[in-house]
Amino acid sequence: MTDSQVDCVIVGGGLAGGLIALALQRARPEFRIRLIEAGRRVGGNHRWSWFDSDLSDEGRALLSAFRQTDWQSGYEVRFPKYRRNLKTTYGSMASPDFHEGIMRELPKGSVILGRKAVGLDARGVDLGSSQYGPAERITARSVIDCRSFKPSSHLNGGWQVFLGRHIRLDKPHKVVRPVIMDATVDQLAPHGNDGSYRFVYVLPLGAHEVFIEDTYYADDPLLDRGALSGRIDQYTRAQGWQDGLPVHHEAGVLPVLTGGNFSAYQDEVRIPGVAIAGARGGFTHPLTSYTMCVAVENALAIAQEADLSGGQLAAFFDARARRHWKNTGYYRLLARLLFFAAKPEMRVKVFQRFYSLREGLIERFYAARSTVFDKARVLCGEPPVAIHSAFMAMFKSGPALKSEKSDTARAQAAIDDELLTEKRP
């Protein structure tokens, strides 16, 4: 076997691709694996967070390869009517630590950075030429496509748009635990309209370091960095943190799915004989865009099926994606209620009511593991939306995530610009 012939080649070094490579390496150390990333490092410029209850013991063991921050004191949410502390341990990982973990755990030469895959098929991957090397062909027994989400006219919904900033302060910030949703801020979208739900996300990374992210739900994938940056400035001033020194930032857009023809979408992105994982494969939470749970589960699953041929592996992921789509229909319904039934000024009340429910229900919701009783509890009681509006929303699918060519290009560029694969809850 030559250097250009391997057992498995994974295209896309985001969360999904990196975890699959790691799980395969641990399960089958004799395998020759190649992880191809167009960017200069694995994981791009991003931060992932999760609830400890999201992970199995095997999942925690997989993530143990990476430096993490965790808050055993739990986390907090803030709404106009209340503040609430929840007890579940919360964890977070930055992309530089993800990169270092992958580079440390995988054998030398397994990770190929700065090279774009210009062609994929069942037998291998074609790499374009770049400053890091000439064009070449890597042949493989199996190929896994873990590139970023592809906007499509077959999928409907909106977008979650965000910008985050890590700052270092000259005095302690005194934030004890993560604030995963501060919805006491103004509910205006950056474009000057009031058609979104907005919140700020805060992580205390050290006594003098804090990560702040401004997030909102929108119909358009437009990322107005100037407006979001200004709102972070406003938030930090309100907290007394105006003298902070920026360490780094992240920004991007993620899909919020309300419906669509998933089979047609699969036909659109499918490459015969190539397995598709990650966001491109549909492995996201429709409403929150959260993918940590399913990324870990997929990585562990493929490690158990490592001996499948390329075609069998592609069929395995294809069926797994269809099951995921079917099992997450309830969350697409809730996304429709949020976008089409709730008036803009009422959307914050939807989340305000949700976070007043039992803690276990909230955690199962983010992991897309809601029970029948959970689902009924979310929908029953005093609704934050009008009954007739909710009824009408049930039969709406929402705007396509690819309505015009220019819209598609803009959405794809916003996604590719930050190499995003995952968003914290």
Side-chain angles (χ1 to χ4, degrees):
M1 182 178 287
T2 67
D3 287 342
S4 61
Q5 295 175 315
V6 300
D7 292 287
C8 180
V9 59
I10 303 161
V11 181
L15 183 73
L19 290 180
I20 287 173
L22 176 61
L24 278 175
Q25 172 61 29
R26 288 185 171 182
R28 301 298 295 271
E30 74 278 12
F31 269 27
R32 301 191 69 182
I33 300 169
R34 294 293 181 271
L35 177 62
I36 299 170
E37 169 53 45
R40 290 175 292 180
R41 67 182 184 186
V42 174
N45 180 29
H46 197 50
R47 173 171 287 278
W48 300 273
S49 300
W50 60 93
F51 302 117
D52 183 68
S53 56
D54 294 342
L55 304 175
S56 63
D57 290 340
E58 294 78 10
R60 294 186 190 93
L62 185 65
L63 292 184
S64 67
F66 311 105
R67 181 179 177 272
Q68 308 165 27
T69 304
D70 64 69
W71 295 269
Q72 297 186 6
S73 60
Y75 60 97
E76 181 182 347
V77 293
R78 299 174 182 174
F79 291 96
K81 285 193 173 182
Y82 67 84
R83 293 187 177 191
R84 183 183 182 188
N85 295 333
L86 296 99
K87 298 178 182 179
T88 303
T89 297
Y90 194 70
S92 185
M93 171 177 63
S95 55
D97 296 317
F98 185 68
H99 172 85
E100 291 178 8
I102 291 295
M103 299 302 290
R104 180 178 61 250
E105 295 285 329
L106 267 58
K108 185 178 180 180
S110 297
V111 182
I112 300 175
L113 300 173
R115 305 292 301 277
K116 185 175 182 179
V118 296
L120 286 72
D121 58 54
R123 300 182 186 85
V125 177
D126 294 310
L127 299 181
S129 61
S130 76
Q131 60 178 316
Y132 300 101
E136 64 177 302
R137 168 79 173 177
I138 299 178
T139 59
R141 183 169 59 84
S142 62
V143 178
I144 305 176
D145 186 354
C146 291
R147 291 175 294 179
S148 57
F149 172 77
K150 181 180 180 181
S152 169
S153 60
H154 298 300
L155 299 178
N156 307 100
W159 302 92
Q160 189 180 136
V161 183
F162 61 93
L163 184 144
R165 184 188 303 163
H166 179 178
I167 60 175
R168 183 175 295 119
L169 305 169
D170 59 2
K171 60 182 179 180
H173 50 68
K174 298 182 181 180
V175 178
V176 176
R177 59 182 64 84
V179 182
I180 70 167
M181 196 169 282
D182 184 349
T184 62
V185 295
D186 292 338
Q187 293 298 300
L188 298 177
H191 321 323
N193 62 65
D194 59 354
S196 72
Y197 169 63
R198 174 180 172 241
F199 63 92
V200 175
Y201 174 76
V202 181
L203 291 179
L205 299 176
H208 293 261
E209 296 193 16
V210 63
F211 178 79
I212 308 166
E213 189 168 273
D214 197 286
T215 302
Y216 66 96
Y217 286 82
D219 295 327
D220 189 284
L222 177 63
L223 174 58
D224 190 333
R225 294 171 186 263
L228 286 174
S229 182
R231 291 192 172 184
I232 291 178
D233 289 340
Q234 183 181 27
Y235 189 86
T236 57
R237 286 194 298 269
Q239 307 301 317
W241 303 336
Q242 60 267 31
D243 296 326
L245 176 68
V247 177
H248 74 262
H249 79 279
E250 66 172 63
V253 297
L254 296 167
V256 178
L257 301 177
T258 58
N261 185 336
F262 189 65
S263 294
Y265 172 74
Q266 285 188 303
D267 291 340
E268 180 181 24
V269 300
R270 182 183 293 112
I271 301 172
V274 175
I276 305 179
R280 181 172 293 236
F283 295 104
T284 66
H285 192 298
L287 179 56
T288 67
S289 306
Y290 181 47
T291 62
M292 175 60 82
C293 288
V294 70
V296 169
E297 290 171 356
N298 278 344
L300 296 174
I302 194 174
Q304 294 181 341
E305 304 292 343
D307 290 320
L308 291 177
S309 67
Q312 291 173 325
L313 190 61
F316 173 80
F317 266 101
D318 197 65
R320 195 172 176 89
R322 288 196 301 272
R323 287 196 302 272
H324 180 74
W325 178 266
K326 179 180 179 181
N327 293 338
T328 54
Y330 169 76
Y331 307 102
R332 290 191 297 277
L333 168 62
L334 294 182
R336 292 196 295 274
L337 294 178
L338 179 68
F339 275 94
F340 313 129
K343 294 180 180 180
E345 66 273 15
M346 296 295 290
R347 288 172 181 166
V348 65
K349 296 183 179 181
V350 173
F351 287 90
Q352 183 171 259
R353 177 183 176 274
F354 172 75
Y355 270 101
S356 69
L357 301 176
R358 291 180 179 272
E359 188 168 348
L361 179 152
I362 294 169
E363 294 166 6
R364 290 188 293 272
F365 177 91
Y366 276 112
R369 298 170 186 156
S370 298
T371 67
V372 173
F373 298 104
D374 290 342
K375 294 176 182 179
R377 183 67 186 90
V378 169
L379 293 174
C380 73
E382 182 180 355
V385 299
I387 296 297
H388 71 277
S389 297
F391 180 79
M392 296 299 295
M394 292 175 65
F395 300 98
K396 291 183 179 180
S397 58
L401 294 181
K402 177 186 174 184
S403 56
E404 299 290 342
K405 185 175 181 180
S406 59
D407 292 339
T408 304
R410 185 170 59 204
Q412 191 68 61
I415 294 169
D416 291 342
D417 182 45
E418 303 298 337
L419 302 175
L420 297 173
T421 57
E422 155 58 353
K423 182 75 165 70
R424 83 289 167 283

